[in-house]
mmCIF file of all heavy atoms in Angstrom:
data_model
loop_
_atom_site.group_PDB
_atom_site.id
_atom_site.type_symbol
_atom_site.label_atom_id
_atom_site.label_comp_id
_atom_site.label_asym_id
_atom_site.label_seq_id
_atom_site.Cartn_x
_atom_site.Cartn_y
_atom_site.Cartn_z
ATOM 1 N N CYS A 399 20.170 3.370 7.152
ATOM 2 C CA CYS A 399 20.907 4.639 7.230
ATOM 3 C C CYS A 399 21.742 4.827 5.959
ATOM 4 O O CYS A 399 21.808 5.933 5.410
ATOM 5 C CB CYS A 399 21.797 4.675 8.465
ATOM 6 S SG CYS A 399 20.921 4.879 10.037
ATOM 7 N N LYS A 400 22.362 3.736 5.497
ATOM 8 C CA LYS A 400 23.161 3.809 4.269
ATOM 9 C C LYS A 400 22.292 4.155 3.063
ATOM 10 O O LYS A 400 22.698 4.934 2.200
ATOM 11 C CB LYS A 400 23.895 2.487 4.028
ATOM 12 C CG LYS A 400 25.023 2.235 5.003
ATOM 13 C CD LYS A 400 25.677 0.881 4.740
ATOM 14 C CE LYS A 400 26.802 0.618 5.716
ATOM 15 N NZ LYS A 400 27.451 -0.685 5.446
ATOM 16 N N ILE A 401 21.095 3.598 3.002
ATOM 17 C CA ILE A 401 20.174 3.917 1.909
ATOM 18 C C ILE A 401 19.780 5.389 1.979
ATOM 19 O O ILE A 401 19.815 6.099 0.978
ATOM 20 C CB ILE A 401 18.941 2.987 1.945
ATOM 21 C CG1 ILE A 401 19.349 1.566 1.545
ATOM 22 C CG2 ILE A 401 17.823 3.521 1.054
ATOM 23 C CD1 ILE A 401 18.272 0.514 1.762
ATOM 24 N N ALA A 402 19.432 5.866 3.162
ATOM 25 C CA ALA A 402 19.022 7.265 3.322
ATOM 26 C C ALA A 402 20.154 8.233 2.984
ATOM 27 O O ALA A 402 19.911 9.323 2.471
ATOM 28 C CB ALA A 402 18.514 7.508 4.743
ATOM 29 N N ARG A 403 21.391 7.818 3.260
ATOM 30 C CA ARG A 403 22.544 8.669 2.939
ATOM 31 C C ARG A 403 22.952 8.566 1.465
ATOM 32 O O ARG A 403 23.853 9.268 1.023
ATOM 33 C CB ARG A 403 23.744 8.293 3.815
ATOM 34 C CG ARG A 403 23.596 8.674 5.282
ATOM 35 C CD ARG A 403 24.903 8.538 6.053
ATOM 36 N NE ARG A 403 25.497 7.226 5.977
ATOM 37 C CZ ARG A 403 25.388 6.270 6.906
ATOM 38 N NH1 ARG A 403 24.681 6.487 7.993
ATOM 39 N NH2 ARG A 403 25.987 5.099 6.750
ATOM 40 N N GLY A 404 22.346 7.660 0.716
ATOM 41 C CA GLY A 404 22.669 7.488 -0.695
ATOM 42 C C GLY A 404 23.857 6.588 -0.947
ATOM 43 O O GLY A 404 24.340 6.500 -2.078
ATOM 44 N N GLU A 405 24.330 5.881 0.071
ATOM 45 C CA GLU A 405 25.480 4.984 -0.077
ATOM 46 C C GLU A 405 25.079 3.657 -0.729
ATOM 47 O O GLU A 405 25.927 2.963 -1.286
ATOM 48 C CB GLU A 405 26.124 4.729 1.284
ATOM 49 C CG GLU A 405 26.706 5.986 1.905
ATOM 50 C CD GLU A 405 27.122 5.788 3.350
ATOM 51 O OE1 GLU A 405 27.170 4.637 3.834
ATOM 52 O OE2 GLU A 405 27.388 6.811 4.011
ATOM 53 N N ILE A 406 23.810 3.294 -0.610
ATOM 54 C CA ILE A 406 23.263 2.097 -1.238
ATOM 55 C C ILE A 406 22.118 2.570 -2.122
ATOM 56 O O ILE A 406 21.245 3.309 -1.668
ATOM 57 C CB ILE A 406 22.759 1.082 -0.187
ATOM 58 C CG1 ILE A 406 23.932 0.553 0.643
ATOM 59 C CG2 ILE A 406 22.003 -0.059 -0.863
ATOM 60 C CD1 ILE A 406 23.517 -0.365 1.769
ATOM 61 N N PRO A 407 22.113 2.169 -3.392
ATOM 62 C CA PRO A 407 21.045 2.634 -4.284
ATOM 63 C C PRO A 407 19.676 2.111 -3.866
ATOM 64 O O PRO A 407 19.555 1.023 -3.291
ATOM 65 C CB PRO A 407 21.445 2.081 -5.650
ATOM 66 C CG PRO A 407 22.614 1.211 -5.455
ATOM 67 C CD PRO A 407 23.085 1.318 -4.045
ATOM 68 N N SER A 408 18.658 2.899 -4.168
ATOM 69 C CA SER A 408 17.279 2.506 -3.892
ATOM 70 C C SER A 408 16.372 3.170 -4.914
ATOM 71 O O SER A 408 16.777 4.108 -5.595
ATOM 72 C CB SER A 408 16.871 2.929 -2.476
ATOM 73 O OG SER A 408 16.830 4.343 -2.376
ATOM 74 N N ARG A 409 15.156 2.679 -4.975
ATOM 75 C CA ARG A 409 14.126 3.327 -5.802
ATOM 76 C C ARG A 409 13.363 4.280 -4.896
ATOM 77 O O ARG A 409 12.416 3.899 -4.211
ATOM 78 C CB ARG A 409 13.192 2.288 -6.406
ATOM 79 C CG ARG A 409 13.828 1.478 -7.513
ATOM 80 C CD ARG A 409 12.874 0.475 -8.153
ATOM 81 N NE ARG A 409 11.542 1.009 -8.388
ATOM 82 C CZ ARG A 409 10.413 0.329 -8.149
ATOM 83 N NH1 ARG A 409 10.462 -0.910 -7.681
ATOM 84 N NH2 ARG A 409 9.247 0.869 -8.387
ATOM 85 N N LYS A 410 13.824 5.518 -4.885
ATOM 86 C CA LYS A 410 13.284 6.521 -3.963
ATOM 87 C C LYS A 410 11.848 6.889 -4.321
ATOM 88 O O LYS A 410 11.513 7.088 -5.473
ATOM 89 C CB LYS A 410 14.168 7.766 -3.975
ATOM 90 C CG LYS A 410 13.696 8.864 -3.048
ATOM 91 C CD LYS A 410 14.693 9.971 -2.826
ATOM 92 C CE LYS A 410 15.095 10.678 -4.076
ATOM 93 N NZ LYS A 410 15.901 11.891 -3.802
ATOM 94 N N VAL A 411 11.038 6.998 -3.270
ATOM 95 C CA VAL A 411 9.656 7.442 -3.386
ATOM 96 C C VAL A 411 9.551 8.896 -2.932
ATOM 97 O O VAL A 411 8.840 9.688 -3.527
ATOM 98 C CB VAL A 411 8.727 6.543 -2.531
ATOM 99 C CG1 VAL A 411 7.323 7.108 -2.431
ATOM 100 C CG2 VAL A 411 8.705 5.117 -3.083
ATOM 101 N N TYR A 412 10.298 9.249 -1.870
ATOM 102 C CA TYR A 412 10.175 10.573 -1.256
ATOM 103 C C TYR A 412 11.392 10.824 -0.377
ATOM 104 O O TYR A 412 11.953 9.894 0.198
ATOM 105 C CB TYR A 412 8.907 10.620 -0.392
ATOM 106 C CG TYR A 412 8.725 11.888 0.386
ATOM 107 C CD1 TYR A 412 8.128 12.997 -0.199
ATOM 108 C CD2 TYR A 412 9.135 11.974 1.704
ATOM 109 C CE1 TYR A 412 7.956 14.175 0.516
ATOM 110 C CE2 TYR A 412 8.966 13.142 2.435
ATOM 111 C CZ TYR A 412 8.374 14.245 1.828
ATOM 112 O OH TYR A 412 8.207 15.403 2.535
ATOM 113 N N GLU A 413 11.744 12.099 -0.257
ATOM 114 C CA GLU A 413 12.809 12.474 0.664
ATOM 115 C C GLU A 413 12.625 13.924 1.077
ATOM 116 O O GLU A 413 12.282 14.782 0.275
ATOM 117 C CB GLU A 413 14.175 12.308 0.006
ATOM 118 C CG GLU A 413 15.339 12.688 0.898
ATOM 119 C CD GLU A 413 16.697 12.445 0.270
ATOM 120 O OE1 GLU A 413 16.780 12.276 -0.965
ATOM 121 O OE2 GLU A 413 17.687 12.428 1.034
ATOM 122 N N ASP A 414 12.853 14.188 2.365
ATOM 123 C CA ASP A 414 12.982 15.542 2.876
ATOM 124 C C ASP A 414 14.073 15.517 3.939
ATOM 125 O O ASP A 414 14.819 14.536 4.031
ATOM 126 C CB ASP A 414 11.637 16.108 3.368
ATOM 127 C CG ASP A 414 11.061 15.408 4.603
ATOM 128 O OD1 ASP A 414 11.812 14.767 5.370
ATOM 129 O OD2 ASP A 414 9.837 15.516 4.811
ATOM 130 N N ASP A 415 14.189 16.544 4.729
ATOM 131 C CA ASP A 415 15.274 16.612 5.721
ATOM 132 C C ASP A 415 15.180 15.535 6.792
ATOM 133 O O ASP A 415 16.196 15.158 7.376
ATOM 134 C CB ASP A 415 15.296 17.987 6.398
ATOM 135 C CG ASP A 415 15.744 19.090 5.469
ATOM 136 O OD1 ASP A 415 16.375 18.788 4.426
ATOM 137 O OD2 ASP A 415 15.469 20.269 5.780
ATOM 138 N N ASP A 416 13.963 15.042 7.060
ATOM 139 C CA ASP A 416 13.748 14.126 8.182
ATOM 140 C C ASP A 416 13.416 12.694 7.791
ATOM 141 O O ASP A 416 13.595 11.777 8.583
ATOM 142 C CB ASP A 416 12.578 14.638 9.047
ATOM 143 C CG ASP A 416 12.773 16.059 9.499
ATOM 144 O OD1 ASP A 416 13.851 16.361 10.046
ATOM 145 O OD2 ASP A 416 11.852 16.877 9.295
ATOM 146 N N VAL A 417 12.896 12.507 6.580
ATOM 147 C CA VAL A 417 12.272 11.245 6.194
ATOM 148 C C VAL A 417 12.783 10.799 4.825
ATOM 149 O O VAL A 417 13.073 11.625 3.964
ATOM 150 C CB VAL A 417 10.733 11.442 6.140
ATOM 151 C CG1 VAL A 417 10.034 10.237 5.564
ATOM 152 C CG2 VAL A 417 10.187 11.772 7.515
ATOM 153 N N PHE A 418 12.866 9.476 4.655
ATOM 154 C CA PHE A 418 13.223 8.904 3.357
ATOM 155 C C PHE A 418 12.261 7.750 3.101
ATOM 156 O O PHE A 418 12.000 6.941 4.004
ATOM 157 C CB PHE A 418 14.671 8.396 3.387
ATOM 158 C CG PHE A 418 15.227 8.062 2.042
ATOM 159 C CD1 PHE A 418 15.770 9.050 1.244
ATOM 160 C CD2 PHE A 418 15.216 6.768 1.563
ATOM 161 C CE1 PHE A 418 16.295 8.759 -0.011
ATOM 162 C CE2 PHE A 418 15.728 6.456 0.324
ATOM 163 C CZ PHE A 418 16.272 7.467 -0.472
ATOM 164 N N ALA A 419 11.729 7.661 1.892
ATOM 165 C CA ALA A 419 10.840 6.557 1.519
ATOM 166 C C ALA A 419 11.374 5.906 0.252
ATOM 167 O O ALA A 419 11.826 6.597 -0.665
ATOM 168 C CB ALA A 419 9.423 7.067 1.301
ATOM 169 N N PHE A 420 11.323 4.571 0.219
ATOM 170 C CA PHE A 420 11.877 3.825 -0.914
ATOM 171 C C PHE A 420 11.164 2.492 -1.065
ATOM 172 O O PHE A 420 10.612 1.952 -0.106
ATOM 173 C CB PHE A 420 13.378 3.618 -0.733
ATOM 174 C CG PHE A 420 13.747 2.893 0.537
ATOM 175 C CD1 PHE A 420 14.012 1.536 0.535
ATOM 176 C CD2 PHE A 420 13.831 3.574 1.753
ATOM 177 C CE1 PHE A 420 14.344 0.860 1.703
ATOM 178 C CE2 PHE A 420 14.166 2.915 2.922
ATOM 179 C CZ PHE A 420 14.420 1.550 2.899
ATOM 180 N N HIS A 421 11.191 1.965 -2.285
ATOM 181 C CA HIS A 421 10.555 0.682 -2.573
ATOM 182 C C HIS A 421 11.330 -0.462 -1.924
ATOM 183 O O HIS A 421 12.567 -0.470 -1.917
ATOM 184 C CB HIS A 421 10.471 0.460 -4.080
ATOM 185 C CG HIS A 421 9.451 1.330 -4.738
ATOM 186 N ND1 HIS A 421 8.128 0.982 -4.831
ATOM 187 C CD2 HIS A 421 9.565 2.550 -5.317
ATOM 188 C CE1 HIS A 421 7.463 1.940 -5.446
ATOM 189 N NE2 HIS A 421 8.311 2.907 -5.754
ATOM 190 N N ASP A 422 10.582 -1.433 -1.409
ATOM 191 C CA ASP A 422 11.166 -2.628 -0.817
ATOM 192 C C ASP A 422 11.782 -3.481 -1.922
ATOM 193 O O ASP A 422 11.181 -3.634 -2.989
ATOM 194 C CB ASP A 422 10.080 -3.419 -0.075
ATOM 195 C CG ASP A 422 10.643 -4.471 0.857
ATOM 196 O OD1 ASP A 422 11.417 -5.342 0.390
ATOM 197 O OD2 ASP A 422 10.311 -4.437 2.050
ATOM 198 N N ILE A 423 12.979 -4.022 -1.677
ATOM 199 C CA ILE A 423 13.628 -4.853 -2.705
ATOM 200 C C ILE A 423 13.035 -6.260 -2.761
ATOM 201 O O ILE A 423 13.295 -6.999 -3.705
ATOM 202 C CB ILE A 423 15.161 -4.921 -2.531
ATOM 203 C CG1 ILE A 423 15.549 -5.543 -1.199
ATOM 204 C CG2 ILE A 423 15.773 -3.543 -2.719
ATOM 205 C CD1 ILE A 423 17.023 -5.880 -1.088
ATOM 206 N N GLN A 424 12.249 -6.640 -1.753
ATOM 207 C CA GLN A 424 11.551 -7.929 -1.748
ATOM 208 C C GLN A 424 10.068 -7.666 -1.486
ATOM 209 O O GLN A 424 9.556 -7.986 -0.411
ATOM 210 C CB GLN A 424 12.130 -8.868 -0.694
ATOM 211 C CG GLN A 424 13.563 -9.259 -0.966
ATOM 212 C CD GLN A 424 14.124 -10.182 0.097
ATOM 213 O OE1 GLN A 424 13.766 -10.104 1.270
ATOM 214 N NE2 GLN A 424 15.003 -11.066 -0.325
ATOM 215 N N PRO A 425 9.383 -7.081 -2.462
ATOM 216 C CA PRO A 425 7.990 -6.682 -2.222
ATOM 217 C C PRO A 425 7.085 -7.855 -1.901
ATOM 218 O O PRO A 425 7.221 -8.936 -2.459
ATOM 219 C CB PRO A 425 7.591 -6.003 -3.531
ATOM 220 C CG PRO A 425 8.530 -6.526 -4.558
ATOM 221 C CD PRO A 425 9.811 -6.829 -3.841
ATOM 222 N N GLN A 426 6.156 -7.599 -0.979
ATOM 223 C CA GLN A 426 5.185 -8.605 -0.567
ATOM 224 C C GLN A 426 3.850 -8.432 -1.290
ATOM 225 O O GLN A 426 2.929 -9.208 -1.068
ATOM 226 C CB GLN A 426 4.964 -8.515 0.944
ATOM 227 C CG GLN A 426 6.228 -8.741 1.755
ATOM 228 C CD GLN A 426 6.770 -10.147 1.590
ATOM 229 O OE1 GLN A 426 6.055 -11.115 1.780
ATOM 230 N NE2 GLN A 426 8.031 -10.269 1.230
ATOM 231 N N ALA A 427 3.736 -7.387 -2.114
ATOM 232 C CA ALA A 427 2.512 -7.109 -2.874
ATOM 233 C C ALA A 427 2.892 -6.250 -4.070
ATOM 234 O O ALA A 427 4.057 -5.859 -4.224
ATOM 235 C CB ALA A 427 1.505 -6.399 -1.977
ATOM 236 N N ASP A 428 1.895 -5.948 -4.912
ATOM 237 C CA ASP A 428 2.151 -5.128 -6.099
ATOM 238 C C ASP A 428 2.838 -3.815 -5.736
ATOM 239 O O ASP A 428 3.726 -3.358 -6.445
ATOM 240 C CB ASP A 428 0.837 -4.820 -6.831
ATOM 241 C CG ASP A 428 0.158 -6.057 -7.373
ATOM 242 O OD1 ASP A 428 0.846 -7.083 -7.605
ATOM 243 O OD2 ASP A 428 -1.069 -6.009 -7.557
ATOM 244 N N LEU A 429 2.409 -3.204 -4.656
ATOM 245 C CA LEU A 429 3.024 -1.970 -4.162
ATOM 246 C C LEU A 429 3.547 -2.227 -2.763
ATOM 247 O O LEU A 429 2.802 -2.684 -1.890
ATOM 248 C CB LEU A 429 2.003 -0.825 -4.134
ATOM 249 C CG LEU A 429 2.521 0.481 -3.543
ATOM 250 C CD1 LEU A 429 3.632 1.066 -4.406
ATOM 251 C CD2 LEU A 429 1.377 1.478 -3.388
ATOM 252 N N HIS A 430 4.824 -1.962 -2.565
ATOM 253 C CA HIS A 430 5.426 -2.170 -1.246
ATOM 254 C C HIS A 430 6.618 -1.232 -1.123
ATOM 255 O O HIS A 430 7.642 -1.419 -1.773
ATOM 256 C CB HIS A 430 5.871 -3.620 -1.083
ATOM 257 C CG HIS A 430 6.388 -3.949 0.288
ATOM 258 N ND1 HIS A 430 6.696 -5.236 0.646
ATOM 259 C CD2 HIS A 430 6.656 -3.188 1.377
ATOM 260 C CE1 HIS A 430 7.134 -5.254 1.900
ATOM 261 N NE2 HIS A 430 7.120 -4.005 2.360
ATOM 262 N N PHE A 431 6.455 -0.195 -0.307
ATOM 263 C CA PHE A 431 7.576 0.691 -0.032
ATOM 264 C C PHE A 431 7.639 0.955 1.462
ATOM 265 O O PHE A 431 6.726 0.573 2.208
ATOM 266 C CB PHE A 431 7.504 1.988 -0.858
ATOM 267 C CG PHE A 431 6.370 2.912 -0.544
ATOM 268 C CD1 PHE A 431 6.513 3.935 0.390
ATOM 269 C CD2 PHE A 431 5.161 2.791 -1.210
ATOM 270 C CE1 PHE A 431 5.474 4.805 0.656
ATOM 271 C CE2 PHE A 431 4.115 3.664 -0.953
ATOM 272 C CZ PHE A 431 4.270 4.673 -0.010
ATOM 273 N N MET A 432 8.727 1.542 1.883
ATOM 274 C CA MET A 432 8.934 1.824 3.297
ATOM 275 C C MET A 432 9.223 3.298 3.496
ATOM 276 O O MET A 432 9.831 3.941 2.649
ATOM 277 C CB MET A 432 10.086 0.996 3.840
ATOM 278 C CG MET A 432 9.729 -0.468 3.914
ATOM 279 S SD MET A 432 11.097 -1.501 4.391
ATOM 280 C CE MET A 432 12.051 -1.479 2.923
ATOM 281 N N ILE A 433 8.798 3.794 4.637
ATOM 282 C CA ILE A 433 9.110 5.161 5.045
ATOM 283 C C ILE A 433 9.913 5.054 6.334
ATOM 284 O O ILE A 433 9.507 4.370 7.272
ATOM 285 C CB ILE A 433 7.840 5.989 5.291
ATOM 286 C CG1 ILE A 433 6.860 5.880 4.125
ATOM 287 C CG2 ILE A 433 8.220 7.447 5.556
ATOM 288 C CD1 ILE A 433 5.510 6.540 4.388
ATOM 289 N N ILE A 434 11.074 5.727 6.349
ATOM 290 C CA ILE A 434 11.950 5.671 7.522
ATOM 291 C C ILE A 434 12.321 7.083 7.972
ATOM 292 O O ILE A 434 12.383 8.001 7.167
ATOM 293 C CB ILE A 434 13.249 4.889 7.229
ATOM 294 C CG1 ILE A 434 14.113 5.599 6.178
ATOM 295 C CG2 ILE A 434 12.941 3.457 6.811
ATOM 296 C CD1 ILE A 434 15.514 5.031 6.023
ATOM 297 N N PRO A 435 12.598 7.230 9.267
ATOM 298 C CA PRO A 435 13.214 8.483 9.701
ATOM 299 C C PRO A 435 14.691 8.441 9.303
ATOM 300 O O PRO A 435 15.307 7.370 9.316
ATOM 301 C CB PRO A 435 13.043 8.462 11.223
ATOM 302 C CG PRO A 435 12.971 7.012 11.575
ATOM 303 C CD PRO A 435 12.341 6.326 10.394
ATOM 304 N N LYS A 436 15.246 9.573 8.920
ATOM 305 C CA LYS A 436 16.680 9.592 8.601
ATOM 306 C C LYS A 436 17.512 9.405 9.861
ATOM 307 O O LYS A 436 18.596 8.824 9.805
ATOM 308 C CB LYS A 436 17.052 10.888 7.892
ATOM 309 C CG LYS A 436 16.566 10.926 6.450
ATOM 310 C CD LYS A 436 17.070 12.166 5.758
ATOM 311 C CE LYS A 436 16.760 12.141 4.295
ATOM 312 N NZ LYS A 436 17.262 13.351 3.612
ATOM 313 N N LYS A 437 17.004 9.859 10.990
ATOM 314 C CA LYS A 437 17.691 9.627 12.262
ATOM 315 C C LYS A 437 17.577 8.141 12.587
ATOM 316 O O LYS A 437 16.514 7.537 12.443
ATOM 317 C CB LYS A 437 17.030 10.444 13.372
ATOM 318 C CG LYS A 437 17.585 10.155 14.744
ATOM 319 C CD LYS A 437 16.790 10.858 15.826
ATOM 320 C CE LYS A 437 17.247 10.409 17.198
ATOM 321 N NZ LYS A 437 16.332 10.836 18.261
ATOM 322 N N HIS A 438 18.675 7.551 13.018
ATOM 323 C CA HIS A 438 18.640 6.133 13.367
ATOM 324 C C HIS A 438 17.930 5.946 14.708
ATOM 325 O O HIS A 438 18.369 6.452 15.739
ATOM 326 C CB HIS A 438 20.058 5.546 13.455
ATOM 327 C CG HIS A 438 20.047 4.083 13.750
ATOM 328 N ND1 HIS A 438 19.774 3.142 12.786
ATOM 329 C CD2 HIS A 438 20.229 3.403 14.905
ATOM 330 C CE1 HIS A 438 19.810 1.940 13.335
ATOM 331 N NE2 HIS A 438 20.082 2.083 14.621
ATOM 332 N N VAL A 439 16.821 5.228 14.646
ATOM 333 C CA VAL A 439 16.091 4.786 15.836
ATOM 334 C C VAL A 439 15.878 3.298 15.627
ATOM 335 O O VAL A 439 15.307 2.888 14.613
ATOM 336 C CB VAL A 439 14.737 5.510 15.999
ATOM 337 C CG1 VAL A 439 14.002 5.004 17.227
ATOM 338 C CG2 VAL A 439 14.922 7.020 16.056
ATOM 339 N N LYS A 440 16.355 2.495 16.554
ATOM 340 C CA LYS A 440 16.373 1.046 16.364
ATOM 341 C C LYS A 440 14.980 0.447 16.155
ATOM 342 O O LYS A 440 14.778 -0.344 15.242
ATOM 343 C CB LYS A 440 17.057 0.383 17.562
ATOM 344 C CG LYS A 440 17.201 -1.108 17.441
ATOM 345 C CD LYS A 440 17.947 -1.684 18.625
ATOM 346 C CE LYS A 440 17.979 -3.191 18.552
ATOM 347 N NZ LYS A 440 18.622 -3.789 19.714
ATOM 348 N N SER A 441 14.024 0.779 16.986
ATOM 349 C CA SER A 441 12.684 0.199 16.869
ATOM 350 C C SER A 441 11.681 1.085 17.599
ATOM 351 O O SER A 441 12.069 2.033 18.284
ATOM 352 C CB SER A 441 12.642 -1.219 17.452
ATOM 353 O OG SER A 441 12.637 -1.168 18.867
ATOM 354 N N LEU A 442 10.407 0.752 17.479
ATOM 355 C CA LEU A 442 9.403 1.499 18.237
ATOM 356 C C LEU A 442 9.646 1.392 19.732
ATOM 357 O O LEU A 442 9.257 2.269 20.493
ATOM 358 C CB LEU A 442 7.991 0.991 17.913
ATOM 359 C CG LEU A 442 7.320 1.547 16.680
ATOM 360 C CD1 LEU A 442 5.893 0.997 16.565
ATOM 361 C CD2 LEU A 442 7.308 3.047 16.660
ATOM 362 N N ASP A 443 10.286 0.325 20.137
ATOM 363 C CA ASP A 443 10.640 0.145 21.545
ATOM 364 C C ASP A 443 11.622 1.215 22.031
ATOM 365 O O ASP A 443 11.757 1.414 23.234
ATOM 366 C CB ASP A 443 11.286 -1.232 21.734
ATOM 367 C CG ASP A 443 10.557 -2.088 22.729
ATOM 368 O OD1 ASP A 443 9.527 -1.648 23.266
ATOM 369 O OD2 ASP A 443 11.019 -3.215 22.958
ATOM 370 N N ASP A 444 12.315 1.851 21.110
ATOM 371 C CA ASP A 444 13.371 2.797 21.463
ATOM 372 C C ASP A 444 13.011 4.255 21.204
ATOM 373 O O ASP A 444 13.844 5.129 21.404
ATOM 374 C CB ASP A 444 14.642 2.457 20.678
ATOM 375 C CG ASP A 444 15.147 1.067 21.012
ATOM 376 O OD1 ASP A 444 15.458 0.832 22.193
ATOM 377 O OD2 ASP A 444 15.198 0.219 20.111
#
Side-chain angles (χ1 to χ4, degrees):
C399 287
K400 289 178 180 181
I401 290 170
R403 290 191 304 262
E405 296 170 11
I406 295 175
S408 67
R409 288 182 42 222
K410 180 168 59 171
V411 170
Y412 175 85
E413 180 177 17
D414 67 22
D415 290 341
D416 306 309
V417 172
F418 192 84
F420 58 98
H421 288 274
D422 195 304
I423 61 169
Q424 295 180 328
Q426 300 295 307
D428 296 336
L429 176 65
H430 185 173
F431 66 92
M432 290 174 286
I433 310 173
I434 65 169
K436 286 185 173 180
K437 174 187 172 192
H438 183 78
V439 179
K440 183 177 175 183
S441 76
L442 276 184
D443 238 2
D444 299 300

